[in-house]
Amino acid sequence: MTTPYYLYDTELLKKTLDEIKKGAATIENSFVHYAVKACTNPKVLEVIRDAGLGIDCVSGGEIEVVVNAGFDPSRIMFAGVGKADWEIQTALDNNIECFVVESIPELEVINEFAAKKGKIADVCLRINPNVGAHTHANIVTGLSENKFGINMADMMEVIRLCQELPQINFKGLHFHIGSQILEMDDFEALCRRVNELQDKLDAAGIHAEIIDVGGGLGIDYEHPEKHPIPDFENYFSIFRNKLKLRKGQELHFELGRSVVGQCGRLITKVLYVKNSGPKQFVIVDAGFTDLIRPALYGAHHRIVNITNTDDDMETYDVVGPICESSDVFDKDVRLSKTKRGDLLAILSAGAYGEIMASQYNCRRLPKGYTVDEID
Ligand SMILES: *Cc1c(COP(=O)(O)O)cnc(C)c1O
């Protein structure tokens, strides 16, 4: 097997999906969509499709990928601040479930294209709830300073516009406050905000058929072996207990990282061990082109030597071959004594890993395999 490569544990993925379905089943009229931008590996998609999840897309390319993978287009939510004309047309042609609209000009363009095709577009409005998520600044999306969504103060005006535009059908409200959220208080704050906004809708005599609370549930990057499956029971219980849904209202979730994050790892080979002053560098054949999260977000992934699993630990900086100082997976990592040719596993890399790979330095894209393909 040529390294580096991604390795997906489909058994763990199935167990994770079972937990999600169990948690969601405690809420009447709830629907779970997989936020496909986290990972589009075909084998992974197959398992998620067979588990019956809907999809959350953020591009026309993603719509094409999931339709080709056999997902039901009528269960696709399509979000994104900058939908291009062809992407809107692709969504209309596929009769997706719902556009998640982030601005007035976008709403007008969707209305225009829908008219040309003689279709009605179902629309949720993405509201920026100004709720802070305690996570990395680059993955907070729900503050008014972020580019996402419609300002709360403009909500009623945009709903009225939806009612005026002939090809638009207002379905409900959508929120997504950020990613890798481990503070359940953030989701509680979102619930309180949604309740407030629903009171406003009631006062205006407007019914939302759909409340979509997005995704964002985090995973345990520090102790993936101890917590291979996120605490979905607790996550769903917050929405069950704190959200005041109206009669018949559908509650939608869009989970990405928490579905696939722990199910994938990046396998990389040690090229050289270099002693340099006080440092020991382990130079591996994977770089930030294969897994960009440490370089982009300062993210931390557990790394283990899977060739030598002895207890004789040493301290290393694990770095890639790319000509950028940010190409570092982690510093001062305790690994079993490591030598050229050993394989290292970079854990919890199933989400925002393979899909974010690039070809910078003219590198080859990493391949993805499932555990049973390797045995
Ligand atoms: C990225 C994204 C998600 C999923 O986020 P996770 O943190 O991976 O769960 C859900 N909804 C929208 C609109 C997104 O952009």
Side-chain angles (χ1 to χ4, degrees), residues 77 97-98 124 171-174 207-212 249-252:
M77 307 291 284
E97 177 168 8
C98 200
C124 277
K171 291 288 276 190
L173 303 180
H174 173 281
H207 177 68
E209 287 170 54
I210 292 179
I211 296 293
D212 186 323
Q249 217 163 34
E250 293 180 3
L251 179 59
H252 290 242

Side-chain angles (χ1 to χ4, degrees), residues 268-295:
T268 180
K269 192 178 277 176
V270 175
L271 297 174
Y272 305 104
V273 179
K274 169 165 116 171
N275 292 305
S276 182
K279 288 279 188 189
Q280 278 201 103
F281 291 102
V282 168
I283 303 165
V284 296
D285 64 359
F288 71 43
T289 48
D290 306 292
L291 176 64
I292 202 174
R293 299 190 65 261

Side-chain angles (χ1 to χ4, degrees), residues 35 37-38 56 58 79 126 174 176 178-180 214-217 254-258 352:
K37 74 172 183 287
D56 164 60
V58 291
R126 179 169 180 173
H174 173 281
H176 174 64
S179 202
Q180 184 52 20
L217 177 63
E254 302 169 348
L255 298 172
R257 185 191 311 272
S258 55
Y352 308 108

Side-chain angles (χ1 to χ4, degrees), residues 31 39 316:
F31 299 85
C39 178
Y316 304 95

